[in-house]
Amino acid sequence: MTALADPLADAFWATSLRRWNTVCWALFGAMAVGLVTTAPAGGSKYKALALLGCVVLCYAVLDRFPGNPVVRPHVYLSVLVLALGGLAYLGSSYAALFMVTLPHYWMFGRSPRTSMGFLGFATGATLAGSLVRQGWSAEFFGETLVSTLIVVAVGVLIGLWAHSVVAQSNERARLIEELEQTQARLSEAHQRQGAADERERIARDIHDTLAQGFASIIVLAEAARAGMSEDPARSAQQLRSIEFTARENLTEARELVGSASQPGPGRVAAGSVAQTLRRTLDRFAEDTGLAVDADLADLECDQQTRIALLRCTQESLANVRKHARASTVGVVLVRRPYGVELEITDDGTGFVTAESTGFGLDGMRKRLAELGGRLTVTSSVGDGTRILATIPTTDEVEA
């Protein structure tokens, strides 16, 4: 049989052919027996047997050796057309052979156009052979022509129906394959997006923790070295701060490594968010010597909100330490009807917000956006800076 580009259609016709083989061989045998026992002796009997034998031989070769280079499907159908015409001329079992082999036009023709073409040739050959034998008689018009056209019409309807079923199955299979491919692409895209989000989260946590800690260590080390001879006590305090900050960074590093195998937000020490921010502000005031005015409401919130507020505070204080040259820092934490609000101000040099390109502010904005919050930065050169972080909360129990 010829190979099809569509495996589903090929499988359908191969299955149909295997099921029809048993019936077909039985009918071929019955036809041969009928010719031997009922046909009158003479040359026409042997000619009919020879034509039937040619059809059976070609069918057997094609069935047993489908890849042979001689008897191809179209060759078999051509032999079948000639045999039908010859049997119709001889008047020997042509109608039975026509009905037995009717499915073969669709099985071996494969495309509707080819199948209809061979079926048309077979119909024409059958009618031509009968016409030569019967002439333009009432028997030809009343029996042969009508019965042949009825059989052909039924065969055409069944064949076209089978092809439509295969076409619909092919379309469903194509749609299923496209759906599976789309799902695979979406899954791959989600994995890539998840990996990118995780890398961004780790980078943000490193910036908010380790990077800020190292920057603090550098500043403290420079101050301790500069004041070592003039104010040893102050330098000793700064060295202790360096040690404490280094230990904190080591703890943060271990937590970040642990979070790589279990993705999630970094941990924050237990306690209320006010206590957590108070410890951070006390360390900042101790390290920098700046005056810190804190008004922190003692409220409870979920872990992600606590982390976001702490990271915003750390980043804002780091910017004050590195850029602001301020003398006073104010921090206000309050609960509003719409959520939690954290305000951090300084009286430093300020900056032009439109020209800010740092990773820190963008990181704060993204962190707050993930929680449905927002960051508002107000500053101008010489007028200090105001950072306002707002995070909506669900119905939390206020301490």
Side-chain angles (χ1 to χ4, degrees):
M1 290 180 292
T2 56
L4 283 182
D6 196 320
L8 185 60
D10 189 62
F12 174 83
W13 293 118
T15 302
S16 302
L17 184 59
R18 285 194 301 269
R19 292 174 178 174
W20 186 248
N21 270 343
T22 303
V23 178
C24 198
W25 285 117
L27 294 176
F28 279 154
M31 290 172 58
V33 172
L35 283 174
V36 172
T37 58
T38 61
S44 62
K45 175 179 181 178
Y46 298 112
K47 291 177 182 177
L49 286 172
L51 290 173
L52 179 61
C54 289
V55 172
V56 173
L57 178 62
C58 290
Y59 182 69
V61 172
L62 186 59
D63 178 50
R64 300 293 295 175
F65 308 100
N68 78 89
V70 179
V71 183
R72 306 302 300 156
H74 290 180
V75 173
Y76 166 70
L77 292 178
S78 300
V79 171
L80 183 58
V81 168
L82 296 176
L84 284 171
L87 289 174
Y89 172 73
L90 298 173
S92 301
S93 301
Y94 71 92
L97 182 62
F98 201 141
M99 289 186 289
V100 168
T101 58
L102 196 58
H104 290 180
Y105 298 100
W106 302 99
M107 293 177 182
F108 296 112
R110 299 300 179 83
S111 70
R113 177 178 297 181
T114 302
S115 300
M116 292 285 288
F118 276 105
L119 187 56
F121 290 142
T123 303
T126 301
L127 293 177
S130 298
L131 180 61
V132 172
R133 178 172 56 86
Q134 297 175 331
W136 300 98
S137 62
E139 180 184 1
F140 173 76
F141 286 103
E143 296 180 8
T144 304
L145 180 62
V146 173
S147 60
T148 301
L149 292 179
I150 290 175
V151 171
V152 171
V154 172
V156 169
L157 292 176
I158 293 176
L160 292 177
W161 171 81
H163 270 284
S164 68
V165 170
V166 173
Q168 292 175 2
S169 300
N170 291 342
E171 181 64 16
R172 284 195 296 269
R174 184 185 64 81
L175 292 175
I176 291 173
E177 182 180 1
E178 289 182 355
L179 178 61
E180 291 175 347
Q181 292 176 352
T182 302
Q183 290 175 337
R185 287 194 295 268
L186 285 175
S187 176
E188 184 180 353
H190 288 159
Q191 291 177 354
R192 288 197 302 267
Q193 184 61 43
D197 292 343
E198 182 62 14
R199 285 195 299 268
E200 182 178 351
R201 183 191 69 80
I202 292 176
R204 191 169 56 203
D205 285 343
I206 290 175
H207 176 272
D208 292 346
T209 57
L210 299 182
Q212 303 296 359
F214 288 135
S216 177
I217 288 173
I218 292 173
V219 172
L220 290 170
E222 291 175 346
R225 183 178 58 188
M228 191 170 293
S229 58
E230 299 178 0
D231 191 353
R234 177 65 176 168
S235 296
Q237 175 60 38
Q238 290 168 336
L239 290 174
R240 286 193 296 270
S241 295
I242 290 174
E243 179 185 358
F244 186 79
T245 303
R247 292 183 184 277
E248 281 188 335
N249 265 23
L250 179 59
T251 301
E252 291 284 356
R254 287 171 176 167
E255 291 182 357
L256 288 174
V257 171
S259 70
S261 58
Q262 297 179 343
R267 290 182 293 174
V268 177
S272 71
V273 64
Q275 293 173 347
T276 302
L277 296 184
R278 177 69 66 182
R279 288 193 293 267
T280 301
L281 295 174
D282 290 344
R283 286 287 318 284
F284 175 79
E286 180 181 339
D287 292 344
T288 62
L290 299 180
V292 177
D293 182 13
D295 181 9
L296 307 176
D298 190 13
L299 53 88
E300 295 292 339
C301 55
D302 61 88
Q303 180 76 342
Q304 289 186 330
T305 300
R306 293 176 63 236
I307 292 171
L309 293 172
L310 175 61
R311 299 307 185 215
C312 288
T313 302
Q314 290 173 330
E315 175 63 26
S316 299
L317 295 179
N319 288 336
V320 171
R321 184 198 301 265
K322 290 185 292 186
H323 308 298
R325 296 197 291 274
S327 60
T328 303
V329 176
V331 180
V332 178
L333 175 67
V334 295
R335 181 183 290 279
R336 302 294 187 188
Y338 47 81
V340 176
E341 189 175 273
L342 174 67
E343 181 185 50
I344 303 173
T345 58
D346 67 73
D347 59 355
T349 57
F351 63 97
V352 179
T353 56
E355 298 177 358
S356 175
T357 58
F359 181 83
L361 292 178
D362 288 340
M364 283 194 285
R365 287 191 180 94
K366 291 179 180 179
R367 188 184 292 276
L368 294 174
E370 290 173 359
L371 302 178
R374 63 177 181 177
L375 181 74
T376 304
V377 181
T378 305
S379 182
S380 60
V381 178
D383 291 332
T385 301
R386 175 178 178 264
I387 303 292
L388 181 63
T390 304
I391 303 176
T393 58
T394 55
D395 294 332
E396 298 285 339
V397 179
E398 186 167 346

mmCIF file of all heavy atoms in Angstrom, residues 314-331:
data_model
loop_
_atom_site.group_PDB
_atom_site.id
_atom_site.type_symbol
_atom_site.label_atom_id
_atom_site.label_comp_id
_atom_site.label_asym_id
_atom_site.label_seq_id
_atom_site.Cartn_x
_atom_site.Cartn_y
_atom_site.Cartn_z
ATOM 1 N N GLN A 314 15.810 49.508 55.520
ATOM 2 C CA GLN A 314 17.243 49.280 55.352
ATOM 3 C C GLN A 314 17.787 50.012 54.129
ATOM 4 O O GLN A 314 18.856 50.643 54.190
ATOM 5 C CB GLN A 314 17.519 47.772 55.227
ATOM 6 C CG GLN A 314 17.297 47.000 56.517
ATOM 7 C CD GLN A 314 17.406 45.500 56.316
ATOM 8 O OE1 GLN A 314 17.111 44.987 55.235
ATOM 9 N NE2 GLN A 314 17.827 44.795 57.364
ATOM 10 N N GLU A 315 17.059 49.942 53.011
ATOM 11 C CA GLU A 315 17.518 50.600 51.796
ATOM 12 C C GLU A 315 17.524 52.120 51.961
ATOM 13 O O GLU A 315 18.460 52.806 51.542
ATOM 14 C CB GLU A 315 16.621 50.208 50.617
ATOM 15 C CG GLU A 315 16.931 50.930 49.309
ATOM 16 C CD GLU A 315 18.319 50.612 48.791
ATOM 17 O OE1 GLU A 315 18.857 49.535 49.113
ATOM 18 O OE2 GLU A 315 18.879 51.462 48.056
ATOM 19 N N SER A 316 16.478 52.656 52.599
ATOM 20 C CA SER A 316 16.419 54.105 52.804
ATOM 21 C C SER A 316 17.538 54.581 53.716
ATOM 22 O O SER A 316 18.192 55.611 53.444
ATOM 23 C CB SER A 316 15.056 54.478 53.403
ATOM 24 O OG SER A 316 14.004 54.120 52.523
ATOM 25 N N LEU A 317 17.798 53.843 54.786
ATOM 26 C CA LEU A 317 18.886 54.219 55.698
ATOM 27 C C LEU A 317 20.244 54.094 55.009
ATOM 28 O O LEU A 317 21.147 54.915 55.247
ATOM 29 C CB LEU A 317 18.841 53.350 56.952
ATOM 30 C CG LEU A 317 17.599 53.524 57.842
ATOM 31 C CD1 LEU A 317 17.677 52.580 59.032
ATOM 32 C CD2 LEU A 317 17.452 54.969 58.317
ATOM 33 N N ALA A 318 20.384 53.096 54.162
ATOM 34 C CA ALA A 318 21.644 52.944 53.433
ATOM 35 C C ALA A 318 21.871 54.135 52.504
ATOM 36 O O ALA A 318 23.003 54.632 52.367
ATOM 37 C CB ALA A 318 21.638 51.640 52.645
ATOM 38 N N ASN A 319 20.807 54.586 51.843
ATOM 39 C CA ASN A 319 20.940 55.752 50.978
ATOM 40 C C ASN A 319 21.280 57.006 51.786
ATOM 41 O O ASN A 319 22.061 57.860 51.332
ATOM 42 C CB ASN A 319 19.641 55.979 50.201
ATOM 43 C CG ASN A 319 19.441 54.932 49.112
ATOM 44 O OD1 ASN A 319 20.402 54.330 48.642
ATOM 45 N ND2 ASN A 319 18.190 54.702 48.736
ATOM 46 N N VAL A 320 20.690 57.133 52.985
ATOM 47 C CA VAL A 320 21.027 58.261 53.846
ATOM 48 C C VAL A 320 22.497 58.196 54.228
ATOM 49 O O VAL A 320 23.228 59.201 54.190
ATOM 50 C CB VAL A 320 20.136 58.255 55.104
ATOM 51 C CG1 VAL A 320 20.635 59.301 56.112
ATOM 52 C CG2 VAL A 320 18.687 58.541 54.732
ATOM 53 N N ARG A 321 22.966 57.028 54.571
ATOM 54 C CA ARG A 321 24.354 56.853 54.979
ATOM 55 C C ARG A 321 25.317 57.200 53.845
ATOM 56 O O ARG A 321 26.342 57.850 54.049
ATOM 57 C CB ARG A 321 24.572 55.405 55.429
ATOM 58 C CG ARG A 321 25.976 55.120 55.970
ATOM 59 C CD ARG A 321 26.257 53.625 55.980
ATOM 60 N NE ARG A 321 25.302 52.883 56.780
ATOM 61 C CZ ARG A 321 25.488 52.550 58.056
ATOM 62 N NH1 ARG A 321 26.611 52.910 58.668
ATOM 63 N NH2 ARG A 321 24.581 51.864 58.699
ATOM 64 N N LYS A 322 24.990 56.762 52.604
ATOM 65 C CA LYS A 322 25.931 56.905 51.492
ATOM 66 C C LYS A 322 25.831 58.253 50.780
ATOM 67 O O LYS A 322 26.833 58.765 50.270
ATOM 68 C CB LYS A 322 25.693 55.776 50.480
ATOM 69 C CG LYS A 322 26.119 54.403 50.991
ATOM 70 C CD LYS A 322 25.985 53.329 49.923
ATOM 71 C CE LYS A 322 24.538 53.055 49.583
ATOM 72 N NZ LYS A 322 24.399 51.909 48.640
ATOM 73 N N HIS A 323 24.620 58.826 50.705
ATOM 74 C CA HIS A 323 24.438 59.965 49.807
ATOM 75 C C HIS A 323 23.922 61.237 50.469
ATOM 76 O O HIS A 323 24.234 62.338 50.001
ATOM 77 C CB HIS A 323 23.453 59.582 48.681
ATOM 78 C CG HIS A 323 23.801 58.324 47.972
ATOM 79 N ND1 HIS A 323 24.964 58.165 47.262
ATOM 80 C CD2 HIS A 323 23.117 57.145 47.865
ATOM 81 C CE1 HIS A 323 24.995 56.940 46.733
ATOM 82 N NE2 HIS A 323 23.887 56.299 47.095
ATOM 83 N N ALA A 324 23.117 61.116 51.518
ATOM 84 C CA ALA A 324 22.329 62.267 51.952
ATOM 85 C C ALA A 324 23.120 63.337 52.700
ATOM 86 O O ALA A 324 22.779 64.514 52.644
ATOM 87 C CB ALA A 324 21.167 61.797 52.841
ATOM 88 N N ARG A 325 24.159 62.916 53.438
ATOM 89 C CA ARG A 325 24.881 63.840 54.331
ATOM 90 C C ARG A 325 23.900 64.573 55.253
ATOM 91 O O ARG A 325 23.928 65.794 55.399
ATOM 92 C CB ARG A 325 25.712 64.839 53.526
ATOM 93 C CG ARG A 325 26.828 64.196 52.723
ATOM 94 C CD ARG A 325 27.865 65.213 52.291
ATOM 95 N NE ARG A 325 27.328 66.135 51.301
ATOM 96 C CZ ARG A 325 27.312 65.901 49.995
ATOM 97 N NH1 ARG A 325 27.803 64.768 49.531
ATOM 98 N NH2 ARG A 325 26.825 66.798 49.152
ATOM 99 N N ALA A 326 22.994 63.794 55.846
ATOM 100 C CA ALA A 326 21.957 64.346 56.712
ATOM 101 C C ALA A 326 22.433 64.362 58.163
ATOM 102 O O ALA A 326 23.421 63.724 58.532
ATOM 103 C CB ALA A 326 20.684 63.516 56.597
ATOM 104 N N SER A 327 21.719 65.099 58.985
ATOM 105 C CA SER A 327 21.995 65.122 60.429
ATOM 106 C C SER A 327 20.855 64.496 61.222
ATOM 107 O O SER A 327 21.052 64.064 62.368
ATOM 108 C CB SER A 327 22.199 66.566 60.898
ATOM 109 O OG SER A 327 21.030 67.344 60.632
ATOM 110 N N THR A 328 19.682 64.432 60.638
ATOM 111 C CA THR A 328 18.510 63.895 61.333
ATOM 112 C C THR A 328 17.706 63.013 60.375
ATOM 113 O O THR A 328 17.534 63.349 59.201
ATOM 114 C CB THR A 328 17.604 65.020 61.854
ATOM 115 O OG1 THR A 328 18.362 65.878 62.704
ATOM 116 C CG2 THR A 328 16.422 64.453 62.630
ATOM 117 N N VAL A 329 17.215 61.912 60.921
ATOM 118 C CA VAL A 329 16.368 60.994 60.159
ATOM 119 C C VAL A 329 15.081 60.779 60.954
ATOM 120 O O VAL A 329 15.123 60.563 62.179
ATOM 121 C CB VAL A 329 17.066 59.647 59.908
ATOM 122 C CG1 VAL A 329 16.113 58.679 59.197
ATOM 123 C CG2 VAL A 329 18.331 59.852 59.084
ATOM 124 N N GLY A 330 13.957 60.843 60.278
ATOM 125 C CA GLY A 330 12.664 60.594 60.910
ATOM 126 C C GLY A 330 11.999 59.373 60.304
ATOM 127 O O GLY A 330 11.979 59.203 59.085
ATOM 128 N N VAL A 331 11.456 58.527 61.173
ATOM 129 C CA VAL A 331 10.781 57.316 60.712
ATOM 130 C C VAL A 331 9.430 57.225 61.415
ATOM 131 O O VAL A 331 9.356 57.294 62.647
ATOM 132 C CB VAL A 331 11.608 56.049 61.008
ATOM 133 C CG1 VAL A 331 10.868 54.804 60.499
ATOM 134 C CG2 VAL A 331 12.982 56.142 60.373
#
